[in-house]
Amino acid sequence: MSYTKSVSKGDSGFDALREEFELAFSEKPTGKKLFKNYTKQANSARELQSWGADFSTGEDEHRPQAQDIQKSEDASSEEALADVLSTPSSLAQDNSALSKWATKAADELIEEGYAASVVSLLVSKHTSIRKEALVNIAKMSAKVRDSSYEEKDQVWLFLSELVESCRGHVDEGPIPNYIVAFARNALDVLKNPLHCLYGKLNSFLIKGPTWRLDRLPLVYDILQDGPELDDTYYAELSWLFTYLLDGVQGEPDMALYHNTRLFERLLSLASNPYLRQNLRVQILRIVYRATCIKGGSTTLVTRFGIVSWLEAQSAGCDSKSQRETYRALLKRIWETSDKERTSVWSNGGIQSTLQDVLN
């Protein structure tokens, strides 16, 4: 039918095309007969169309387009959510860092990130690389101590405590991601005496020569003790959220965040209507990162009430873009969770909530 529509504007062109087909089918009478029957129907259809007849059903032609549009909207929603909340890990491993730092001055090691790159290798899957990284950090701390770097005492103490804390664990497996994330971000604090967390970090360092690797350093000092200066509260939270986002990379990290009930504190902070939007986005990024970990979404649903929280945030949000972010995140959590377990746990309530929020 679409063919007759395209040729109905010029009868001469249609007749010429018909003659070519008749010539091509001249040696096959059966084919020629079929073609003549088709052209008769086509001529009748063209005549009826000239009177204004419409042979489309109005359903089949539009259904594929509607499905394509829906798929496009779903894809764009997922992509938009990833653009807003997905961030690359800062714990990238570069084995060449083990040799690059040796020729650098002490201030360059800290200021230009060479020390942080070596620290990142403590999460390597290879025991030999972890051991070599630990040895290099020890050498690095000695080099800093013997230098004229202004913050050499604090940096030397920090690196020495990191070495002593990890010494008995590098043979057993990778150092926890949250410890390495803390160490990387702490180096940025130590190189700047004007940083809002400079005092708290130094207080942490003088508490003892080693750190417990089953705890999150400085988290409760920031969340419970409050800021040292009144106008630095949000700056401290921003640093903390960056470190916590870098620290949750796998199931062991998620387990610690769960056991320490960290998500409860984060969601409570995000519920504050006066919290700055950039900080709220940082919390949502931590939640999104948890959905990328096996079992993370199920834990968020069954242990921290994330569905009800997202529903409340979406309902109380005035911004359409923010509301769409909450809805897309809720949909992702459902899609990446153990649906059978969460459905049984909620007695079917999650599906009802999803329908109410997403529709």
Side-chain angles (χ1 to χ4, degrees):
M1 197 65 65
S2 60
Y3 172 76
T4 59
K5 291 181 181 179
S6 63
V7 299
S8 60
K9 295 182 180 179
D11 292 341
S12 59
F14 179 78
D15 293 338
L17 186 60
R18 182 179 59 185
E19 291 177 359
E20 292 182 6
F21 271 95
E22 287 179 345
L23 181 62
F25 284 114
S26 60
E27 297 180 358
K28 296 183 179 181
T30 303
K32 184 177 181 180
K33 183 177 180 180
L34 291 174
F35 179 74
K36 284 186 176 180
N37 291 336
Y38 174 77
T39 53
K40 288 181 181 180
Q41 296 176 0
N43 289 331
S44 299
R46 287 193 301 121
E47 185 175 0
L48 290 173
Q49 285 177 346
S50 66
W51 297 344
D54 185 7
F55 292 92
S56 65
T57 62
E59 180 178 356
D60 293 337
E61 291 183 358
H62 297 288
R63 182 178 298 171
Q65 295 180 3
Q67 293 176 350
D68 292 341
I69 292 174
Q70 182 64 36
K71 291 180 180 179
S72 176
E73 290 178 352
D74 292 342
S76 62
S77 177
E78 293 177 1
E79 292 175 358
L81 182 67
D83 290 340
V84 174
L85 301 182
S86 178
T87 56
S89 172
S90 65
L91 303 185
Q93 300 174 33
D94 180 12
N95 295 342
S96 63
L98 294 172
S99 58
K100 287 181 178 179
W101 74 270
T103 59
K104 305 298 179 181
D107 58 334
E108 292 178 316
L109 295 179
I110 310 304
E111 302 289 341
E112 298 184 13
Y114 291 100
S117 297
V118 177
V119 170
S120 296
L121 295 177
L122 293 174
V123 301
S124 174
K125 296 180 180 179
H126 305 286
T127 305
S128 59
I129 293 179
R130 295 196 302 270
K131 286 184 175 181
E132 190 172 353
L134 196 65
V135 171
N136 278 266
I137 294 172
K139 293 179 180 179
M140 203 179 298
S141 66
K143 184 174 185 177
V144 171
R145 182 184 57 182
D146 297 335
S147 70
S148 58
Y149 183 53
E150 292 182 355
E151 307 302 324
K152 65 178 183 179
D153 294 331
Q154 287 83 355
V155 173
W156 166 78
L157 179 61
F158 176 81
L159 294 178
S160 298
E161 289 188 8
L162 176 62
V163 171
E164 292 302 320
S165 301
C166 299
R167 189 181 299 279
H169 300 275
V170 290
D171 292 333
E172 301 173 359
I175 301 301
N177 290 293
Y178 48 84
I179 295 295
V180 176
F182 164 73
R184 284 181 55 93
N185 286 276
L187 285 172
D188 290 333
V189 176
L190 292 177
K191 69 183 182 183
N192 180 16
L194 298 179
H195 196 283
C196 60
L197 285 168
Y198 189 82
K200 284 186 177 180
L201 182 55
N202 279 278
S203 298
F204 170 79
L205 293 178
I206 63 177
K207 287 181 179 179
T210 59
W211 316 334
R212 289 189 56 174
L213 301 188
D214 59 346
R215 291 186 178 180
L216 294 166
L218 275 190
V219 169
Y220 299 105
D221 299 85
I222 296 174
L223 295 179
Q224 293 180 348
D225 295 346
E228 294 183 343
L229 300 175
D230 293 337
D231 59 346
T232 61
Y233 177 64
Y234 291 124
E236 290 188 10
L237 287 181
S238 180
W239 181 90
L240 175 64
F241 295 158
T242 300
Y243 139 45
L244 292 177
L245 176 62
D246 293 339
V248 57
Q249 305 284 342
E251 294 181 52
D253 311 317
M254 187 67 190
L256 182 69
Y257 283 31
H258 169 209
N259 294 333
T260 56
R261 310 189 75 84
L262 179 64
F263 283 103
E264 284 187 2
R265 295 176 177 270
L266 296 180
L267 297 181
S268 177
L269 282 171
S271 299
N272 180 2
Y274 300 104
L275 187 69
R276 294 177 180 176
Q277 179 59 24
N278 64 316
L279 297 177
R280 185 173 286 106
V281 170
Q282 284 184 285
I283 294 176
L284 292 179
R285 284 174 177 168
I286 297 174
V287 174
Y288 182 89
R289 178 69 61 80
T291 67
C292 301
I293 299 172
K294 182 180 179 180
S297 295
T298 304
T299 299
L300 290 173
V301 172
T302 59
R303 294 293 181 266
F304 300 106
I306 191 67
V307 174
S308 299
W309 185 84
L310 287 172
E311 181 185 14
Q313 296 300 311
S314 177
C317 184
D318 296 331
S319 171
K320 181 180 179 180
S321 61
Q322 295 176 18
R323 188 162 54 249
E324 291 300 323
T325 298
Y326 288 125
R327 291 177 177 177
L329 182 57
L330 178 58
K331 182 178 179 181
R332 174 176 173 80
I333 289 175
W334 168 249
E335 293 294 336
T336 55
S337 67
D338 185 340
K339 296 181 181 179
E340 181 178 356
R341 179 182 172 187
T342 53
S343 296
V344 172
W345 174 83
S346 66
N347 196 23
I350 292 181
Q351 292 91 324
S352 177
T353 300
L354 284 169
Q355 292 178 357
D356 294 339
V357 174
L358 299 180
N359 292 337

